[in-house]
Amino acid sequence: MLAIIIPYFKINFFEKTLESLAQQTDQRFQVYIGDDASPNAPTELLEKYQGKFNFTYKRFKDNLGSVSLVKQWERCIAMMKDEEWFMILGDDDVLGENVVETFYKNLPEIEKTAHVVRYSSVLINEKDEKISEEYHHPKLENAIESYCRKLKGESRSSLSEYIFRKESYSKLRFRDYALAWTTDDRAVIDFSQNKPIYSINALVKVRMSDQNITGKKDNLQPKILARLQSTKEILEDYALQLTLEQKKILFSVYENQLYRVETVSFSDALFLFKKSWQLFGLKYFFNQLKSILIKKYFKGNIEFLNFYLRTKKLRKNVFPLKVQSIEETISEIVNHKKSISRFGDGEFRLILPNENLKFQEENQLLTERLKEVLTSHLENHLVAIPESFHSVKAFKLNVKYWWIDFINKFGNQLSRYLSKEKTYGNAFISRFYLDYEYKSQVEKTIKNLKKIWQNRDVLIIEGEFSRLGIGNDLFDGVNSLQRLICPSKNAFSHYDEMVEKAKELGKDKLVLIALGPTATVLSYDLARAGFWAVDIGHVDIEYSWYLEKAEYKIPVKYRLVNESTNQDSIDLPEHLRESYLNSIIYKIEE
């Protein structure tokens, strides 16, 4: 039997999808709906279609699609029973009424010929209007040749119009590219296993809207990176099967994506040069070398250097300052048990007039306390500011621009609270991965960070949905770990209770604090009272991004990430909920 898998999240057009299933002229299929912890559970809608076709519905407790769409697909596929063929249907796409019928009509020939089946397709908009021509295909077509036709603009495809043999999927699995972008293209090539794609002329309607990944315009960089990676891997993995013409088509796509990506890695540039030489000769190789150097390595930096020098006078009172390296700051914390209060752009903004943050309303007392901490000189306490107030050379180009622009705008106002004579700690001890151009020191930094809490009794003071260390091994080396939970917004409004409980519960413990600007003040006050308190901020988020090898700010499972979009669900799964709840010894209510 045929399985139709629906990884569900969006309800907007879901009824259209269900209606198309109910109208199938052949009902020999089983639908498996995997609800990715959607905020709009479709239970009432599904009741309407009970008895109209066979389906199994499962609501997952944690949202996985925001982290990895492929992993969400895989757990939905795992719902299958003994079906030999399956389709992954988008929760907003629509099947023509004879899609299933034509599959079974052609199945005897398909079984002998192919591992992948493809339908004709047409694009529709939010009003169900056709916005493209209908795309039809040769009855039998080589998968790589089909992909090359798509790359040349002669065809199109997406996941919903394919049926795969379960055996091929089980053997080869999906490639987990960012946003699952190009994952379907690679799957068609892999799952075909050198057999042709078998095409059927029944129609699948694929929806384009600003609510799905294809239609969105705010995720271009991850899409570019995914296309870049998948094209490179096809050129490498299928080198022996590709014709010279196919190699040139794929290489032209790789070349195009490389010039669109924000940062070119050394390995990607090297691959470009190698293939240029192999496919087009020495002259083309030197042209590529020139282009990469000018467009990627020199042009961006020359433009930045011009901006940097042109605005230098704006920073004369506050740049450069003396800021330790990340390793020097960690060493001070570990070897001298120094507490630390970190200042980032958020804390600086709260010091300035007419500035506030999403998670902390303007509070005059907080502003005055932040000024006090920034100008303090305790022996057992470090005041830490961003490394970018000393130098921006280690950062990605866009990060360099961001920080220099910030200092240009606010530096003079902040200069009354900062001193060129003082040596500051490095606030980026908890921002050690994503913003840096080169990552060679990251593993060493993580190893040294873990020394802070290694074999120690730890009290974590954090916001309600921060959940430091949950689902990863960041704090595996502690002797014990307890949590004091605070409101995730406007935490400073509860400051007196927070200080009282921190002193009561943090005695003889290392106190780690992740609570925005409130943590900056609290670490200072606890240090004054003789406690060892570390304002650790985003360390867990940054560590999670490192584990995921993230190229940009992505959602992180089970916790709230203010800096990421598409944070859909923060529900804890059963296997983590119990240990998390057991670690909480006190909660300050809003």
Side-chain angles (χ1 to χ4, degrees):
M1 183 181 281
L2 172 66
I4 298 178
I5 313 293
I6 304 179
Y8 169 79
F9 187 75
K10 302 182 303 296
I11 201 165
N12 304 65
F13 305 103
F14 190 43
E15 185 165 11
K16 298 284 187 180
T17 305
L18 297 177
E19 186 62 28
S20 75
L21 296 172
Q23 291 179 358
Q24 289 301 301
T25 54
D26 190 328
Q27 287 289 315
R28 286 179 290 169
F29 61 89
Q30 176 70 36
V31 178
Y32 296 93
I33 303 167
D35 183 341
D36 193 21
S38 170
N40 303 113
T43 46
E44 289 187 14
L45 189 56
L46 290 175
E47 287 178 10
K48 179 179 175 181
Y49 286 89
Q50 194 75 45
K52 294 187 177 182
F53 57 88
N54 296 320
F55 67 84
T56 300
Y57 169 75
K58 181 176 182 179
R59 179 170 174 83
F60 297 107
K61 292 182 178 179
D62 59 316
N63 175 263
L64 194 54
S66 60
V67 178
S68 168
L69 277 174
V70 168
K71 289 184 173 63
Q72 161 65 356
W73 296 350
E74 288 176 342
R75 69 177 177 180
C76 293
I77 293 171
M79 295 170 62
M80 288 174 59
K81 295 180 181 176
D82 55 359
E83 294 85 0
E84 295 180 3
W85 296 86
F86 72 93
M87 163 190 282
I88 299 181
L89 181 63
D91 59 10
D92 54 1
D93 295 334
V94 176
L95 299 184
E97 64 180 14
N98 64 337
V99 163
V100 176
E101 178 185 344
T102 53
F103 170 73
Y104 283 109
K105 183 178 179 180
N106 290 278
L107 187 57
E109 188 175 357
I110 293 168
E111 291 279 12
K112 299 175 186 177
T113 311
H115 296 302
V116 176
V117 178
R118 170 178 56 189
Y119 287 93
S120 301
S121 65
V122 65
L123 299 178
I124 60 173
N125 62 17
E126 294 170 338
K127 298 178 181 179
D128 297 325
E129 299 166 336
K130 292 183 179 180
I131 56 174
S132 77
E133 62 181 288
E134 291 185 4
Y135 290 87
H136 302 283
H137 312 283
K139 183 175 180 179
L140 297 176
E141 186 176 25
N142 174 271
I144 293 175
E145 185 59 33
S146 172
Y147 185 45
C148 287
R149 280 202 306 119
K150 176 181 177 179
L151 294 177
K152 290 189 293 182
E154 298 173 2
S155 180
R156 68 154 304 280
S157 71
S158 55
L159 190 60
S160 287
E161 63 255 30
Y162 285 96
I163 292 177
F164 302 109
R165 194 189 292 266
K166 174 73 179 299
E167 182 182 353
S168 293
Y169 161 76
S170 299
K171 178 181 179 181
L172 298 166
R173 316 291 284 190
F174 288 111
R175 296 294 180 102
D176 195 356
Y177 299 125
L179 303 178
W181 196 249
T182 73
T183 293
D184 55 330
D185 297 318
R186 181 62 196 251
V188 170
I189 295 171
D190 289 346
F191 296 175
S192 293
Q193 297 186 82
N194 297 318
K195 287 192 173 187
I197 302 169
Y198 189 99
S199 296
I200 298 174
N201 277 331
L203 196 63
V204 175
K205 298 177 182 179
V206 179
R207 193 175 305 278
M208 293 287 291
S209 77
D210 59 7
Q211 296 177 36
N212 57 31
I213 289 172
T214 304
K216 283 186 175 181
K217 303 299 182 185
D218 60 353
N219 53 10
L220 290 179
Q221 277 302 305
K223 288 178 181 177
I224 291 168
L225 288 166
R227 177 84 60 191
L228 186 72
Q229 181 184 354
S230 65
T231 306
K232 179 180 179 180
E233 290 178 357
I234 291 171
L235 280 164
E236 291 176 328
D237 298 344
Y238 287 89
L240 298 179
Q241 290 100 309
L242 293 168
T243 67
L244 179 59
E245 181 61 26
Q246 289 169 345
K247 288 178 181 178
K248 289 183 176 180
I249 292 169
L250 286 161
F251 177 75
S252 68
V253 173
Y254 179 82
E255 179 184 21
N256 176 269
Q257 301 303 301
L258 194 66
Y259 285 112
R260 294 175 66 200
V261 76
E262 288 180 352
T263 304
V264 178
S265 70
F266 178 76
S267 63
D268 283 335
L270 192 63
F271 186 80
L272 178 79
F273 301 149
K274 175 183 174 183
K275 289 300 177 184
S276 296
W277 187 303
Q278 291 176 348
L279 297 175
F280 299 100
L282 189 61
K283 183 177 179 181
Y284 197 81
F285 164 80
F286 280 115
N287 284 337
Q288 291 284 21
L289 180 61
K290 178 182 175 182
S291 296
I292 282 289
L293 290 175
I294 292 174
K295 293 185 179 181
K296 289 299 173 184
Y297 289 116
F298 291 151
K299 184 180 178 182
N301 286 314
I302 289 172
E303 289 174 351
F304 172 74
L305 183 60
N306 179 49
F307 167 72
Y308 181 88
L309 294 174
R310 181 164 39 86
T311 61
K312 189 174 182 180
K313 289 183 179 179
L314 298 174
R315 301 184 298 277
K316 64 180 181 179
N317 293 329
V318 74
F319 186 89
L321 299 176
K322 298 174 184 176
V323 181
Q324 296 174 332
S325 68
I326 289 177
E327 302 309 322
E328 288 171 335
T329 301
I330 294 173
S331 177
E332 290 250 6
I333 296 170
V334 173
N335 296 327
H336 302 290
K337 287 193 174 182
K338 285 196 175 182
S339 296
I340 183 171
S341 294
R342 297 179 313 104
F343 284 79
D345 66 290
E347 287 73 26
F348 283 142
R349 287 178 192 275
L350 286 175
I351 287 175
L352 302 173
N354 303 316
E355 295 284 339
N356 54 59
L357 306 176
K358 288 190 298 183
F359 52 86
Q360 178 61 61
E361 294 177 350
E362 184 177 0
N363 183 304
Q364 189 58 41
L365 178 58
L366 176 58
T367 295
E368 295 305 317
R369 293 305 317 280
L370 287 170
K371 292 176 183 178
E372 177 188 344
V373 177
L374 187 55
T375 56
S376 65
H377 299 275
L378 292 180
E379 285 293 325
N380 66 333
H381 176 263
L382 282 171
V383 175
I385 65 174
E387 179 182 328
S388 45
F389 276 74
H390 171 71
S391 170
V392 294
K393 65 181 181 181
F395 301 112
K396 294 177 180 176
L397 189 60
N398 64 311
V399 179
K400 292 177 181 179
Y401 269 110
W402 195 96
W403 274 110
I404 291 300
D405 186 57
F406 179 88
I407 297 170
N408 288 345
K409 289 178 180 177
F410 304 116
N412 282 335
Q413 296 179 71
L414 293 170
S415 63
R416 72 187 70 176
Y417 309 111
L418 296 166
S419 170
K420 288 191 174 183
E421 306 304 316
K422 183 175 181 177
T423 298
Y424 294 92
N426 194 322
F428 288 168
I429 60 168
S430 66
R431 296 278 197 174
F432 52 81
Y433 170 70
L434 201 60
D435 287 348
Y436 286 86
E437 180 72 36
Y438 302 106
K439 320 289 189 186
S440 58
Q441 293 295 311
V442 172
E443 288 190 16
K444 180 182 177 182
T445 298
I446 292 169
K447 183 178 179 180
N448 288 334
L449 273 171
K450 290 182 176 181
K451 290 179 182 178
I452 297 174
W453 48 82
Q454 185 75 31
N455 298 321
R456 300 193 184 279
D457 295 314
V458 172
L459 173 67
I460 292 179
I461 302 177
E462 62 180 351
E464 186 174 3
F465 302 110
S466 298
R467 296 168 177 169
L468 270 64
I470 295 299
N472 61 46
D473 64 350
L474 184 60
F475 297 112
D476 280 5
V478 303
N479 184 46
S480 67
L481 189 150
Q482 296 176 318
R483 299 176 193 269
L484 168 57
I485 304 300
C486 304
S488 56
K489 290 186 177 182
N490 301 318
F492 194 75
S493 300
H494 306 268
Y495 190 71
D496 290 342
E497 183 180 3
M498 203 179 299
V499 173
E500 179 185 345
K501 284 298 176 182
K503 291 179 178 178
E504 174 189 332
L505 303 173
K507 188 176 181 181
D508 299 323
K509 294 175 185 172
L510 166 65
V511 182
L512 301 178
I513 313 171
L515 209 58
T518 301
T520 307
V521 179
L522 182 57
S523 294
Y524 169 72
D525 283 342
L526 290 177
R528 286 200 307 173
F531 289 81
W532 186 18
V534 177
D535 171 8
I536 205 65
H538 295 79
V539 67
D540 174 76
I541 299 298
E542 200 80 6
Y543 183 60
S544 298
W545 287 337
Y546 159 75
L547 293 176
E548 293 289 337
K549 300 294 183 280
E551 297 285 344
Y552 57 100
K553 294 175 179 179
I554 62 173
V556 176
K557 289 190 295 186
Y558 319 133
R559 61 267 275 157
L560 187 65
V561 183
N562 288 315
E563 299 174 11
S564 171
T565 58
N566 302 322
Q567 183 72 55
D568 298 314
S569 174
I570 53 177
D571 292 341
L572 281 174
E574 289 291 340
H575 71 283
L576 296 175
R577 184 180 294 110
E578 184 178 358
S579 61
Y580 170 70
L581 293 177
N582 287 341
S583 69
I584 298 173
I585 54 173
Y586 192 82
K587 181 177 181 181
I588 296 175
E589 302 292 345
E590 292 189 37

